Amino acid sequence: MIRIDSVTKRYPDGTVAVDRLSLDIPDRAITVLVGPSGCGKTTTLRMINRMVEPTEGGILLDGTDIRQQPVNTLRRSMGYVIQNAGLFQHRTILDNIATVPRLLGTPKKEARVRAAELMERVGLDAALAKRYPYQLSGGQQQRVGVARALAADPPVLLMDEPFSAVDPVVRKGLQDELLRIQDELGKTIVFVTHDIDEAIKLGTMVAVLRTGGRLAQFAPPADLLSAPADAFVEDFLGADRGIRRLSFFPSAGLELQTAPIVGIDADADQLASRADAPYLLVTDLDGRPLGWSEPDRLTAGAIGRDQLLDHGRPFVPSADSLRTALDGAVLSPTGWAVAVDGEGRAVGVVSQQVIGEAIRAAHSRAADDAEVKAVR
Ligand SMILES: Nc1ncnc2c1ncn2[C@@H]1O[C@H](COP(=O)(O)OP(=O)(O)O)[C@@H](O)[C@H]1O
Ligand SMILES: [Mg+2]
């Protein structure tokens, strides 16, 4: 564990960048430092690898003050990734990634084999190995930066706004990739961002900092959304925090109805037996949803796809949250969401009203949990 123990950083010009900050950063999880520009995120991160020394307080790594070990040993145990990747422009991608292992004495061939493995791990095509950084897109360069930081297999990764300079679509890809890599490798990651959505998506724990380098709140993302510590945190979280909190509730418990589902080849008996449903979901012959219709608009044996209403975006109960289910229902002209399995076959439908009840139940369970935690 990394323990930041009442750390203050005052720069020589008198600026207090970090003010009595204490944080226990858990092992093998992603801890995000988030806050507005100038609130001391970078300073905090750089104090962890001693690029900046605290004015007061100390930082402990597994119980030992980080000043007790040579700074080079410390930095070897901490990969560092920055915005715009900071790659060596005159070295190929493969050599960029192999740099640190080479410095540590790994034979050239072995370092290159390892670099090639890492390229694959971070989702880079092997064909890019011999290119130079300027020949890569911004997103690809960030992947190289991550691969390079992982090359010496450090237990800790420090990441300072690594995805901030790329466009939103590429950023989402990089975030997904980081979560996947973290699932496999289980590093202790300290991740700095000014983007609260990124913090909530990536963080196991999120530390919200305010200007002046003071900690506003340190909590798991779901707790931030349900119980912001003060008006600053609430404001920073933004307006739709209620909706966003639904991302942390699974949709798996929703009670699904199967009766309103009919195949496009439905016969007269099948349609008649479902005549009292407000809407029927029509599927293709493989069971994939095609669209909604009122029952009395359907003619057995002659259901046309063009007469169906859009079924919106389906959700997968084992994987998606209540937010995705609600989104599906809100987007659907019928107010019903469609649940599908991993192959996209309809497994049930659920109304906005039932989703609303599940949301209320989830809220009260979460409130109970919070009460239990508070009592303990
Ligand atoms: N080397 C420095 N000398 C003086 N002030 C600095 C220095 N580095 C950062 N600061 C100031 O410290 C504060 C925190 O900076 P920083 O840690 O970079 O914030 P963030 O990464 O959250 O944007 C800012 O007010 C910044 O201007
Ligand atoms: Mg910064």
Side-chain angles (χ1 to χ4, degrees):
M1 186 181 70
I2 301 170
R3 165 165 287 176
I4 299 179
D5 188 13
S6 196
V7 163
T8 293
K9 176 62 191 182
R10 198 174 299 110
Y11 283 110
D13 66 359
T15 307
V16 177
V18 176
D19 188 6
R20 288 161 296 170
L21 179 68
S22 292
L23 285 180
D24 280 353
I25 294 169
D27 283 340
R28 305 175 73 84
I30 302 180
T31 297
V32 179
L33 308 180
V34 67
S37 176
C39 71
K41 305 180 294 293
T42 295
T43 302
T44 303
L45 201 68
R46 289 171 155 238
M47 286 194 287
I48 296 173
N49 69 3
R50 295 190 61 193
M51 288 162 77
V52 172
E53 296 290 349
T55 317
E56 284 157 35
I59 297 177
L60 308 178
L61 181 59
D62 298 328
T64 307
D65 194 308
I66 56 173
R67 286 168 287 209
Q68 305 259 311
Q69 58 175 315
V71 74
N72 287 337
T73 316
L74 179 77
R75 286 191 196 151
R76 230 170 276 156
S77 71
M78 298 181 172
Y80 190 50
V81 189
I82 55 173
Q83 200 180 103
N84 298 319
L87 301 178
F88 304 116
Q89 293 301 321
H90 56 284
R91 287 189 197 168
T92 64
I93 299 312
L94 200 72
D95 287 340
N96 259 282
I97 299 170
T99 299
V100 177
R102 288 288 290 140
L103 285 174
L104 296 177
T106 307
K108 194 166 190 166
K109 205 171 157 201
E110 201 182 314
R112 290 191 155 181
V113 170
R114 166 114 181 104
E117 283 168 16
L118 280 162
M119 285 187 66
E120 197 184 331
R121 170 147 272 157
V122 301
L124 285 169
D125 195 304
L128 301 175
K130 290 210 159 70
R131 294 218 193 148
Y132 289 86
Y134 75 89
Q135 296 171 307
L136 267 54
S137 71
Q140 289 169 331
Q141 291 189 34
Q142 284 309 137
R143 286 173 199 264
V144 179
V146 174
R148 190 177 61 175
L150 289 169
D153 200 20
V156 176
L157 270 190
L158 306 177
M159 309 184 79
D160 193 351
E161 308 233 13
F163 309 148
S164 294
V166 295
D167 69 64
V169 175
V170 174
R171 190 182 315 160
K172 183 181 178 302
L174 291 166
Q175 291 165 347
D176 292 341
E177 200 75 29
L178 180 67
L179 288 172
R180 199 183 53 68
I181 292 170
Q182 173 65 356
D183 264 355
E184 289 168 13
L185 301 183
K187 300 290 180 186
T188 300
I189 299 180
V190 188
F191 189 105
V192 161
T193 180
H194 61 266
D195 175 354
I196 186 65
D197 291 317
E198 185 165 71
I200 282 173
K201 175 170 177 181
L202 297 180
T204 308
M205 291 293 287
V206 176
V208 184
L209 300 177
R210 62 169 86 232
T211 311
R214 276 173 303 133
L215 183 65
Q217 189 166 6
F218 187 44
D223 292 5
L224 280 186
L225 291 168
S226 57
D230 58 23
F232 169 79
V233 178
E234 187 168 3
D235 197 42
F236 195 69
L237 285 167
D240 48 359
R241 112 183 128 75
I243 297 286
R244 284 151 65 203
R245 190 178 169 222
L246 298 181
S247 316
F248 294 93
F249 298 138
S251 65
L254 285 173
E255 205 168 304
L256 303 177
Q257 291 188 37
T258 52
I261 302 178
V262 293
I264 194 159
D265 58 346
D267 60 30
D269 285 348
Q270 285 171 328
L271 289 182
S273 70
R274 290 163 169 87
D276 56 349
Y279 292 98
L280 295 181
L281 180 76
V282 178
T283 69
D284 68 13
L285 296 176
D286 293 324
R288 294 190 172 78
L290 294 172
W292 292 100
S293 175
E294 289 167 33
D296 55 12
R297 287 175 180 269
L298 297 178
T299 317
I303 299 176
R305 294 180 184 219
D306 49 354
Q307 64 188 117
L308 302 175
L309 300 170
D310 185 22
H311 60 73
R313 193 159 60 101
F315 69 100
V316 180
S318 57
D320 288 328
S321 67
L322 279 182
R323 180 178 177 170
T324 311
L326 179 64
D327 201 51
V330 169
L331 287 176
S332 160
T334 63
W336 287 63
V338 178
V340 294
D341 63 15
E343 268 78 57
R345 289 182 295 251
V347 294
V349 298
V350 57
S351 68
Q352 257 179 40
Q353 192 194 337
V354 168
I355 298 170
E357 281 156 18
I359 290 169
R360 277 192 291 282
H363 277 303
S364 64
R365 265 198 308 278
D368 289 349
D369 286 355
E371 222 165 277
V372 170
K373 258 192 242 167
V375 171
R376 254 191 266 147

